[in-house]
Amino acid sequence: MTQVADAAALHDVTEAVLETARRAKIASRTLATATRGTKDAALGALADALVANAEEIVAANEIDLDRGRSNGTSPGLLDRLALTPERIGAIADALRELAALPDPVGEVVRGSTLPNGLRLRQERVPMGVVGMIYEARPNVTVDAAGLALKSGNAVILRGGSAAASSNEVIVRVLADALTAQGLPADLVQSIDAYGRPGAVALMHARGLVDVLVPRGGADLIQTVVRESTVPVIETGVGNCHVFLDASAELETSIAIVLNSKTHRVGVCNAAETLLVHADAAQALLPGVLAALGAADVVVHADPLTAALAPEGVTVVPATDEDWATEYLSLDLAVRVVADLDEAIDHVRTWTSGHTEAIVTKDLRSSERFVAELDSAAIMVNASTRFTDGGQFGLGAEIGISTQKLHARGPMGLAELTTTKWVVNGDGHIRS
Amino acid sequence: MTQVADAAALHDVTEAVLETARRAKIASRTLATATRGTKDAALGALADALVANAEEIVAANEIDLDRGRSNGTSPGLLDRLALTPERIGAIADALRELAALPDPVGEVVRGSTLPNGLRLRQERVPMGVVGMIYEARPNVTVDAAGLALKSGNAVILRGGSAAASSNEVIVRVLADALTAQGLPADLVQSIDAYGRPGAVALMHARGLVDVLVPRGGADLIQTVVRESTVPVIETGVGNCHVFLDASAELETSIAIVLNSKTHRVGVCNAAETLLVHADAAQALLPGVLAALGAADVVVHADPLTAALAPEGVTVVPATDEDWATEYLSLDLAVRVVADLDEAIDHVRTWTSGHTEAIVTKDLRSSERFVAELDSAAIMVNASTRFTDGGQFGLGAEIGISTQKLHARGPMGLAELTTTKWVVNGDGHIRS
C-alpha cells in the first residue's frame, strides 16, 4: 500500500509542477508582447515591494537561519543565506538597475530582402518559461525573477530547502506586486513546496519549460545536466589557469597572479592553477610565491616549483588531483612547464573551459595562447577575474556559461531570449 | 557468464566510442586554426574523391538496397537510400558549393574597448566535435562531413544499419581524401560498427562531444533528446499551419495553401492544418477545397468545413488526433475558426513550433499573428515552404531547429560554431 501511496503522491507532485509550468506558459504570453515601459515599471514596483516588506522577509529569513544553525550549517553558507534590511535594499537596487538596461526583446538580429522580394527579419523574442534551480541564496530568487521579467519570460524557481521560508515570503511579495501592476502573478512561481520530486518534474517538463539554468555547486549542476530533458545552460565551474610566459615581467606577473587568486576566492573566475615557463621560473617564481605566501595562499607545488619557494611560504606537494581541483579557497596549484606547448597541453587536459590568462610580452605567444585554447574567455595580460557580465558591460549577469551551445561565458539579458524569423510576402509561393 | 560477457562487450563499445571522440577532439584542434583556404581545398578534394570512387560506393550501396528489399523496406525509403553516379555527382557538387560560402570562423560578433582600457572581442570559433545521428540517407553522411569541415569541426557519424555498407565506403573515401590533403582522417569518423550501444555511448560522451544533431523521424529525435547528456539541437518536426483570415483573397489563398501542402509532402515545412476564419469560410473554402481535391489531397475536416466541400473532394471527419498529426503525405486537416483569436489558440495548442502562415490583407491581423504566435518562423502572405536555409540565403542547412536554445529555424554554418571572448589588457587587475 505504501508503494501505491508513494506513486500517487509522486504523480500528484508531477501534475502540480506541470500545472505550474502551464500557468507560467500562459502568463508568459502577456509579457512577450508587453512594452519595455510596462516591464520597467513592474521592476520598479517589485523593488519597492521588497523594501516595503523587508521586515517580514527578514523575519522569515531568521527562521531559515535558525534551522541552518541547528543543522550545523557553515558560517560561510549562513552568511550567503542571511538577509538584512540593507541587503534587501541592495537587492531592490539591482532590480532598478535592470530597469535602466535596454530591452533585448524586439532587437532585429538579421534582416534582408531576398531576391524574390520576400522581406526577411530575425528578431529577438523571449524564451517563454525559464526554470532556475539554485541553492540557499535568497538574493538569486529576486535576481532571477528580475532578469526573467526584463527579458519577457516567466520564471519557475526551485530554491532549495535551506532558504525555503525566505523564498516563500519573497515570491509572495513579488507575485502580489505583479498583480498590483496588472501583470499575472504566475510570472514568478516557486515549486519549493514540492521538494526534490518537484525539481525532478521540472527537469522533465520539456515543451513547457524552455530552458533550465542551474546555479550552485558542481554537484547540483551535474545532477541537472544528467537528469534534465529540458535544455540546460551549464554555468559556473571554473578551473581557471594563469600562465607566465618566458617574457613575463615580474611586477605584472605578481599583480595578475595575486588578483586572479586572491581578489575573491569563492568565485568561478578565480585562478586555481599557475603555470610558469621554465625559462622564467628562476626569475619569477621566488617573487610570485613570496607574494602568494604573504597573502596566506597555500601553494600546491610540483618539485621544480617547490625548489624555488622562499622561506615562510606554505608549500605542499601537488598531485594530479590538484590540477583538476577548483579550490574556491586560498589554495593554488603551481607547476613549471617546459614551454608554451606544455602549458597549452596542461590547460587542455585539466581546464573546465572557463577562463585562462597569459602574462607575456611576446606577440606570437599571446596569439597562440588565444587561438589554441578552447575556453569561454582568454585573457592576455589581464586578471581572470574580468570574466564577468558586469565587467564586460553586459549590464546584468544570469551566470557564466561553460558550455558551447547558445551562450558561452558571461550571459546577459540577450541570452535569455531566442529569435523568431518573420517573413513578409505578397502571395509568394515556392516554385 | 553471458551477463558478464555482455557487460564486458558493452564496456568495450563505450570505451571504443569514447576513444573515437577523443581522437576527434584532437583532430578538431588542427582544423580550428586552419585557414579557409585549407578547408575549401579539402572540400574540393572530398568532392573529387567521391566522384572518383563512385563505382565502389554504388556497389556498396547495392548491398544495402538488396538487404532493404529482402527486409521489405518501403519503396520511398529505398529511394532515399539509393545512390547512383548522378546522385553522387550532385552530392559532390554540394561540397563544392560549401567551399564557395564564407567561413563563419573568426567572425567578430561583438567588440569594444571597456572604460578601463581592456579591449574585448567575442569571435566565432568551431564547436569542436559534432555528433550526427541519422537514418538511412547516405547523402547526409557527406553533407554532415562537409558542413562540419567548413565550420572547423570534427564529426562523428552514426548513420544507422540500413545504409551501413554505403556509409562505410563513403567514410573511408572521405578519410583517405583528408589524409591526402595533410589533414587528420579522424576529422570524419563513423561509429556504425558499434550498433545501438555505440549510439548510446555517443549520447553520453559529454565533455568530448560538444553538440549532437539528430536528423530523422520524430521517434529518433525524441530518443536522442531523452537519452542524451550531450547538448542536443532538436530538428525537423513540423506541424505547420496556414490561416486564411477574413480578408484573405481567394486566388492568393488557393496558391499558398496548395504550395504549402503539395509542393513537397514529405518535408517538415509542409502545411498539415488549414484554419479558415468563419467570416470567409463560405467565400474561400469551396474553391480551396476543390483545388486541394484536384491535387489528390484527402481533407480531414471539421463539420463546418465538411459542409462546404464540393463534390469529388475526399473528406473524412477530423478528430483531435488530426490537429496533432504531421501527416507528411497528401492529407490536410481543415477547421473553420470563429476568429483570429480562435486561430491563435488552435495553433498554440497543436503546433510543433516550426512555421505558421497567415493569408490576410489586414495589417492588424498580420501584426497580431506575428507577435502572438511563438514558432520559429511566421509567414505573412507566403508559403510555409520558404522556411529553409537555402531560401533564407544561409547557403547551407544543417537542419531546421524547433527548439529555442542556440538555434531556431533554419541552421546555417554559423550555428555549428560557438564563440570565444578574447580580452587584451596591459597588466589589468580588478580593484
Side-chain angles (χ1 to χ4, degrees):
Chain A
M1 278 306 281
T2 315
Q3 268 196 332
V4 173
D6 281 358
L10 194 63
H11 178 265
D12 287 352
V13 162
T14 303
E15 253 319 302
V17 170
L18 292 179
E19 187 51 31
T20 301
R22 277 183 214 109
R23 287 204 311 269
K25 181 69 99 187
I26 291 167
S28 76
R29 289 177 188 149
T30 309
L31 208 56
T33 54
T35 63
R36 175 175 172 185
T38 302
K39 293 188 284 188
D40 290 350
L43 286 168
L46 297 187
D48 295 344
L50 287 172
V51 173
N53 292 279
E55 204 175 315
E56 193 190 349
I57 295 169
V58 170
N61 185 247
E62 199 50 56
I63 298 172
D64 289 330
L65 289 171
D66 277 346
R67 195 178 46 241
R69 282 184 211 106
S70 49
N71 289 348
T73 303
S74 74
L77 282 181
L78 286 175
D79 181 60
R80 287 183 180 191
L81 179 56
L83 291 175
T84 61
E86 291 68 38
R87 285 188 177 186
I88 292 170
I91 291 169
D93 283 343
L95 288 178
R96 295 190 186 100
E97 283 164 24
L98 265 182
L101 290 175
D103 189 342
V105 174
E107 186 197 343
V108 176
V109 179
R110 282 188 275 194
S112 62
T113 300
L114 301 178
N116 59 9
L118 278 179
R119 281 157 291 133
L120 177 71
R121 66 179 198 271
Q122 184 184 22
E123 59 181 50
R124 287 204 186 283
V125 295
M127 285 276 183
V129 179
V130 175
M132 288 283 297
I133 299 186
Y134 56 104
E135 287 168 331
R137 286 188 158 203
N139 61 311
V140 175
T141 306
V142 180
D143 217 28
L147 289 160
L149 179 61
K150 179 78 188 194
S151 54
N153 295 292
V155 69
I156 299 176
L157 302 158
R158 151 72 184 166
S161 54
S165 303
S166 315
N167 287 339
E168 190 188 340
V169 173
I170 291 171
V171 169
R172 177 158 44 75
V173 167
L174 296 178
D176 288 350
L178 287 169
T179 308
Q181 288 285 305
L183 287 170
D186 289 342
L187 288 174
V188 179
Q189 297 180 82
S190 164
I191 57 161
D192 279 357
Y194 306 118
R196 167 139 180 90
V200 172
L202 185 67
M203 291 188 250
H204 291 101
R206 194 174 173 101
L208 289 170
V209 177
D210 296 293
V211 63
L212 209 50
V213 184
R215 263 174 76 166
D219 282 355
L220 171 81
I221 291 167
Q222 286 315 308
T223 301
V224 174
V225 163
R226 202 174 48 242
E227 294 201 7
S228 183
T229 56
V230 170
V232 172
I233 298 181
E234 194 174 345
T235 62
V237 176
N239 183 13
C240 302
H241 298 75
V242 176
F243 170 57
L244 306 180
D245 193 26
S247 63
E249 290 172 313
L250 179 62
E251 202 181 334
T252 312
S253 297
I254 290 174
I256 288 180
V257 171
L258 263 193
N259 192 255
S260 297
K261 177 69 254 180
T262 67
H263 182 253
R264 232 179 116 188
V265 294
V267 292
C268 61
N269 58 13
E272 306 294 6
T273 295
L274 170 66
L275 302 171
V276 183
H277 194 297
D279 294 352
Q282 213 118 25
L284 299 178
L285 265 177
V288 169
L289 294 174
L292 287 166
D296 293 328
V297 174
V298 174
V299 173
H300 301 248
D302 76 327
L304 289 173
T305 301
L308 291 167
E311 286 283 315
V313 180
T314 309
V315 177
V316 298
T319 65
D320 271 3
E321 207 183 319
D322 288 288
W323 313 133
T325 299
E326 186 188 16
Y327 297 113
L328 299 172
S329 61
L330 282 171
D331 292 82
L332 183 69
V334 186
R335 181 185 167 197
V336 174
V337 291
D339 50 23
L340 177 61
D341 289 290
E342 197 171 77
I344 288 173
D345 272 353
H346 181 104
V347 175
R348 282 175 169 171
T349 306
W350 301 106
T351 186
S352 66
H354 191 297
T355 299
E356 330 298 347
I358 183 173
V359 182
T360 188
K361 293 197 295 178
D362 187 87
L363 181 58
R364 177 95 186 105
S365 294
S366 78
E367 287 181 344
R368 282 195 55 203
F369 195 81
V370 166
E372 295 180 27
L373 287 179
D374 183 30
S375 295
I378 311 284
M379 303 284 162
V380 177
N381 294 324
S383 167
T384 57
R385 287 278 294 132
F386 283 109
T387 303
D388 174 279
Q391 294 292 323
F392 278 12
L394 304 183
E397 182 181 287
I398 296 102
I400 295 180
S401 164
T402 50
Q403 72 178 40
K404 295 182 180 176
L405 218 64
H406 187 69
R408 198 176 191 206
M411 294 189 286
L413 287 166
E415 281 69 30
L416 282 182
T417 66
T418 180
T419 58
K420 180 195 277 185
W421 292 91
V422 180
V423 182
N424 276 273
D426 184 26
H428 283 66
I429 58 170
R430 255 181 95 168
S431 54
Chain B
M1 277 308 280
T2 314
Q3 270 195 330
V4 174
D6 282 359
L10 195 62
H11 177 264
D12 287 351
V13 162
T14 303
E15 252 319 301
V17 170
L18 292 179
E19 186 51 32
T20 301
R22 275 182 217 113
R23 286 203 312 268
K25 181 69 100 188
I26 291 168
S28 76
R29 289 176 188 150
T30 308
L31 208 56
T33 53
T35 63
R36 177 176 169 184
T38 302
K39 293 188 283 188
D40 291 350
L43 287 167
L46 297 187
D48 294 344
L50 288 171
V51 172
N53 292 278
E55 203 175 316
E56 193 189 350
I57 295 169
V58 170
N61 184 246
E62 199 51 55
I63 299 171
D64 288 330
L65 289 170
D66 277 346
R67 194 177 47 240
R69 282 185 209 105
S70 47
N71 289 349
T73 303
S74 74
L77 282 181
L78 286 175
D79 180 59
R80 288 184 181 190
L81 179 56
L83 291 175
T84 60
E86 292 69 36
R87 286 188 176 185
I88 292 170
I91 292 169
D93 283 344
L95 288 178
R96 295 190 186 101
E97 283 163 26
L98 265 180
L101 290 175
D103 189 341
V105 174
E107 187 196 344
V108 176
V109 179
R110 283 188 274 194
S112 62
T113 299
L114 300 178
N116 59 9
L118 278 179
R119 282 156 291 136
L120 177 71
R121 66 180 198 271
Q122 184 185 22
E123 59 180 49
R124 287 203 185 285
V125 294
M127 284 276 183
V129 179
V130 175
M132 289 283 298
I133 299 186
Y134 56 103
E135 287 168 333
R137 285 187 158 206
N139 61 309
V140 175
T141 306
V142 180
D143 218 27
L147 289 160
L149 179 61
K150 178 79 188 193
S151 54
N153 297 290
V155 70
I156 299 175
L157 302 157
R158 151 71 183 166
S161 54
S165 303
S166 315
N167 287 339
E168 191 188 337
V169 174
I170 291 172
V171 168
R172 178 159 44 75
V173 167
L174 297 178
D176 288 350
L178 287 169
T179 307
Q181 287 287 306
L183 287 170
D186 289 342
L187 287 173
V188 179
Q189 296 179 83
S190 163
I191 56 161
D192 279 358
Y194 305 118
R196 169 143 178 87
V200 172
L202 185 67
M203 290 188 249
H204 291 102
R206 194 174 172 100
L208 289 170
V209 178
D210 296 293
V211 62
L212 209 49
V213 184
R215 265 175 77 166
D219 282 354
L220 171 82
I221 290 166
Q222 285 315 308
T223 301
V224 174
V225 162
R226 201 174 51 243
E227 295 201 7
S228 183
T229 57
V230 170
V232 172
I233 299 181
E234 194 175 345
T235 62
V237 176
N239 182 12
C240 303
H241 297 76
V242 176
F243 170 57
L244 306 180
D245 192 27
S247 64
E249 290 171 314
L250 179 60
E251 203 182 331
T252 311
S253 298
I254 290 174
I256 289 180
V257 170
L258 263 193
N259 192 257
S260 298
K261 178 70 253 181
T262 66
H263 182 253
R264 234 180 115 187
V265 295
V267 291
C268 60
N269 59 12
E272 306 293 6
T273 295
L274 171 66
L275 302 170
V276 184
H277 194 297
D279 293 353
Q282 215 119 23
L284 299 177
L285 266 178
V288 169
L289 294 174
L292 287 166
D296 293 327
V297 174
V298 175
V299 173
H300 302 248
D302 76 327
L304 289 172
T305 301
L308 291 166
E311 287 282 314
V313 179
T314 309
V315 177
V316 297
T319 64
D320 271 2
E321 206 184 318
D322 288 289
W323 313 134
T325 299
E326 186 188 16
Y327 297 113
L328 299 172
S329 61
L330 282 171
D331 292 81
L332 184 68
V334 187
R335 181 186 168 196
V336 174
V337 290
D339 50 22
L340 177 61
D341 289 291
E342 197 170 78
I344 288 172
D345 273 353
H346 181 104
V347 176
R348 281 175 170 170
T349 305
W350 300 106
T351 186
S352 65
H354 191 296
T355 299
E356 330 297 347
I358 183 172
V359 181
T360 188
K361 292 197 295 180
D362 188 87
L363 181 58
R364 178 95 186 104
S365 294
S366 78
E367 287 181 344
R368 283 196 54 203
F369 196 82
V370 167
E372 295 180 27
L373 287 179
D374 182 31
S375 295
I378 311 284
M379 302 284 161
V380 178
N381 295 324
S383 167
T384 56
R385 287 278 294 134
F386 283 109
T387 303
D388 175 276
Q391 294 292 319
F392 278 13
L394 304 183
E397 183 181 287
I398 296 103
I400 295 180
S401 164
T402 51
Q403 72 178 40
K404 294 181 180 176
L405 218 64
H406 186 70
R408 199 176 190 208
M411 293 188 287
L413 288 166
E415 280 70 28
L416 282 183
T417 66
T418 180
T419 59
K420 179 195 278 186
W421 292 91
V422 180
V423 182
N424 277 273
D426 184 27
H428 283 67
I429 58 169
R430 256 181 94 168
S431 54

